Amino acid sequence: MNSVGAFVPSYEEQQKIGSFFKQLDDTIALHQCKLDLLKEQKKGFLQKMFVLRVRDKSLKTTFIS
């Protein structure tokens, strides 16, 4: 049987790689949170806009009648 060699980084390098991926995970989580907040804000703006349009239409029909 042939043996296959595998490269194993040093402990220090493993720590740096782990730290890098932890930072990456934190950044992704932060951006996901920001995206969720922006989606909620968009939803609020759309609801507000819809309510204003409905209210505006009801006022116009009230004045026209």
Side-chain angles (χ1 to χ4, degrees):
M1 243 184 170
N2 292 337
S3 64
V4 177
F7 172 72
V8 178
S10 67
Y11 181 75
E12 183 182 336
E13 190 171 359
Q14 290 178 32
Q15 291 295 323
K16 287 180 181 180
I17 292 168
S19 176
F20 169 77
F21 282 112
K22 170 87 171 79
Q23 251 184 334
L24 188 60
D25 284 342
D26 292 345
T27 301
I28 291 170
L30 181 66
H31 284 285
Q32 184 62 50
C33 184
K34 185 176 180 180
L35 177 62
D36 293 342
L37 289 172
L38 288 170
K39 283 181 179 181
E40 284 298 312
Q41 187 178 31
K42 177 185 173 184
K43 185 177 169 183
F45 286 149
L46 288 172
Q47 285 177 345
K48 198 178 214 180
M49 188 172 69
F50 179 72
V51 168
L52 288 175
R53 282 188 177 182
V54 169
R55 191 178 300 158
D56 187 43
K57 285 182 182 179
S58 68
L59 288 175
K60 284 181 181 177
T61 56
T62 304
F63 289 127
I64 292 173
S65 297

